[in-house]
Amino acid sequence: MKTIAITGGAGFIGSHVVRLFVKKYPNYKIVNIDNLTYAGNLANLKDVESASNYEFIKADIVDAQMMFEVFEKYKFDAVIHLAAESHVDRSISNPTEFVFTNVIGTVNLLNSAKKIWKGDFEGKLFYHVSTDEVYGSLGKEGMFTEETKYDPHSPYSASKASSDHFVRAYFDTYGLPSLISNCSNNYGSFQFPEKLIPLFINNIKKNLPLPVYGKGENIRDWLWVEDHARAIDSIFHKGKLGATYNIGGHNEWTNIDLIKVLCSILDKKLDRESGASEKLITYVKDRAGHDLRYAIDATKLQDELDWVPSLQFKEGLEKTIDWYLENENWMENITSGNYQEYYDKQYNER
Ligand code: NAD
Ligand code: TYD
């Protein structure tokens, strides 16, 4: 029996990782550490909450003492660290929060692991989940590889880059067994509707404006969240200590093309006249420091660990749209309360 801490397990990607591990590995005890920020939602984990190999602990990774006490109590064999402030726009309006959670929170977890493992690293692992945004922005050509130099531009990516550096520093300095993966943009069920795809699905459904930043020419490389969770599973079990793995879907889209696909699928599903949803597209002021293009070269992961995405994008989008349409209550619950305040500040003042 292994005891594994998953931080940020009530968030979007974390909840998929928790679900996969709880269901696939009955011999692992999964302890979800999450302080339930606006992005954390226990409703994301309804189907596993009463599993005998699952436990939830509400705790803030920024609280060093609390983290150490939790690690002392559970004597984790491994940590999969996803807890983070994750939205670029929020990092532009409140960068300090990102330093606390993403940098200091990560260092607190590294210190707690180092303290309880006491140099006995046999069978131990600190797996840090990161983003392709640490590599900065690409021009028209090329892709991010594991050797690409870090060049973060947003406070979010700067804080994630910093946390990656700390993980590597603890590996080099103390031998703390760790590895890192850097993934491209995820989409799928349970994503908070501040990110492009769930925000736009919700707005199309409600006939609200679709706020496209700049000209909509920025490019992102989209991966289905369950394929990310599968990649994390492979890397956790078969990845080399000290290594970095890029994860991506070889699936680049300009924002505007992607938005038009969303509109056209939803026209059909909502029984609207063809072209009706596209009329909601509204070009708004560009995001400050907006990275032009991300694209991941995931060859290493494919060659070494035999991982490939399982879903084509159009199929994944259909599944995702269906999920949001079928889970209206989930959306209503999280868009009541503070969400409207965030939305007004982010969009109505633009
Ligand atoms: P999310 O914002 O949906 O969820 C983050 C979770 O972390 C929430 O449950 C939140 O409550 C929790 N959390 C935040 N601060 C915390 C704190 N101080 N203490 C304890 N818990 C805290 O994020 P996500 O999109 O699921 O991303 C998860 C991880 O994956 C992040 O590290 C992110 O950088 C990385 N990532 C995300 C993407 C993406 O497309 N979303 C892509 C690549 C990498
Ligand atoms: P987002 O989902 O925030 O992910 P990231 O910035 O981490 O890649 O945004 C994806 C792309 O969509 C990005 O280029 C910004 C753009 N975007 C909009 O045009 N309008 C919006 O309202 C949002 C949230 C994003």
Side-chain angles (χ1 to χ4, degrees):
M1 188 88 183
K2 273 192 174 187
T3 307
I4 300 171
I6 299 186
T7 71
F12 165 49
I13 302 170
S15 63
H16 285 280
V17 176
V18 166
R19 180 173 301 103
L20 187 154
F21 274 70
V22 166
K23 290 190 172 172
K24 187 169 171 186
Y25 301 108
N27 57 330
Y28 292 172
K29 171 158 182 129
I30 302 301
V31 180
N32 173 13
I33 302 175
D34 196 303
N35 72 338
L36 303 181
T37 66
Y38 76 93
N41 185 356
L42 290 178
N44 298 358
L45 289 164
K46 271 258 166 295
D47 56 335
V48 292
E49 68 185 7
S50 49
S52 58
N53 63 336
Y54 171 73
E55 192 172 330
F56 170 67
I57 297 176
K58 185 173 184 319
D60 186 348
I61 61 167
V62 179
D63 184 339
Q65 182 59 30
M66 164 86 104
M67 275 311 106
F68 181 58
E69 283 167 16
V70 171
F71 273 62
E72 265 282 289
K73 178 170 174 204
Y74 288 88
K75 304 268 187 286
F76 297 120
D77 297 292
V79 179
I80 306 178
H81 174 37
L82 295 107
E85 287 293 336
S86 67
H87 190 40
V88 173
D89 292 327
R90 290 187 194 251
S91 83
I92 294 168
S93 37
N94 187 9
T96 312
E97 198 64 39
F98 285 67
V99 178
F100 280 121
T101 296
N102 298 359
V103 185
I104 297 176
T106 301
V107 173
N108 286 342
L109 294 170
L110 289 165
N111 283 337
S112 297
K114 178 170 162 279
K115 234 169 160 175
I116 63 155
W117 292 341
K118 298 189 180 89
D120 177 9
F121 295 143
E122 190 59 38
K124 307 293 194 294
L125 178 63
F126 190 101
Y127 181 162
H128 179 60
V129 175
S130 193
T131 166
D132 61 352
E133 302 190 26
V134 298
Y135 298 124
S137 181
L138 292 163
K140 288 210 164 70
E141 301 294 315
M143 290 181 136
F144 298 134
T145 72
E146 287 80 1
E147 277 70 49
T148 302
K149 274 218 166 77
Y150 277 31
D151 183 22
H153 297 136
S154 73
Y156 164 64
S157 53
S159 68
K160 289 297 289 187
S162 171
S163 65
D164 293 10
H165 290 318
F166 272 103
V167 174
R168 292 200 180 93
Y170 274 57
F171 179 81
D172 292 339
T173 309
Y174 309 111
L176 192 91
S178 64
L179 47 76
I180 301 179
S181 59
N182 297 82
C183 189
S184 62
N185 286 60
N186 285 215
Y187 71 96
S189 53
F190 300 113
Q191 186 169 31
F192 193 82
E194 62 187 353
K195 308 276 167 50
L196 181 75
I197 290 182
L199 175 74
F200 276 42
I201 294 173
N202 195 35
N203 282 16
I204 293 170
K205 201 179 129 221
K206 295 194 158 159
N207 268 309
L208 292 170
L210 304 177
V212 179
Y213 297 165
K215 295 184 178 148
E217 286 168 349
N218 304 68
I219 294 173
R220 297 292 181 265
D221 177 357
W222 294 95
L223 180 69
W224 190 42
V225 63
E226 294 187 33
D227 280 329
H228 187 189
R230 284 176 48 245
I232 289 174
D233 179 18
S234 294
I235 294 166
F236 179 83
H237 288 99
K238 299 186 283 182
K240 289 199 187 94
L241 291 182
T244 299
Y245 294 90
N246 281 355
I247 311 172
H250 284 289
N251 179 40
E252 292 180 51
W253 286 79
T254 62
N255 292 339
I256 194 64
D257 286 346
L258 166 55
I259 290 159
K260 286 182 178 168
V261 174
L262 286 177
C263 288
S264 125
I265 301 178
L266 275 154
D267 276 348
K268 290 195 193 98
K269 292 195 190 284
L270 298 172
D271 270 335
R272 288 184 186 164
E273 207 177 284
S274 165
S277 301
E278 267 194 35
K279 294 199 181 111
L280 299 168
I281 290 175
T282 311
Y283 291 92
V284 300
K285 191 171 148 216
D286 206 356
R287 174 186 277 172
H290 197 171
D291 287 337
L292 176 67
R293 174 174 167 252
Y294 303 142
I296 278 278
D297 179 349
T299 310
K300 177 178 174 184
L301 183 59
Q302 192 171 332
D303 289 354
E304 285 187 17
L305 304 186
D306 223 10
W307 172 92
V308 281
S310 70
L311 264 196
Q312 292 300 312
F313 190 47
K314 290 265 167 69
E315 194 188 343
L317 265 189
E318 290 265 355
K319 260 171 139 38
T320 301
I321 290 171
D322 287 343
W323 188 87
Y324 286 100
L325 294 180
E326 283 157 17
N327 287 276
E328 272 188 348
N329 283 347
W330 180 90
M331 186 63 92
E332 289 310 316
N333 285 340
I334 55 173
T335 51
S336 56
N338 290 343
Y339 181 78
Q340 200 52 47
E341 208 178 297
Y342 159 78
Y343 195 92
D344 291 343
K345 211 166 178 322
Q346 180 63 28
Y347 295 105
N348 295 347
E349 292 168 17
R350 227 178 164 86

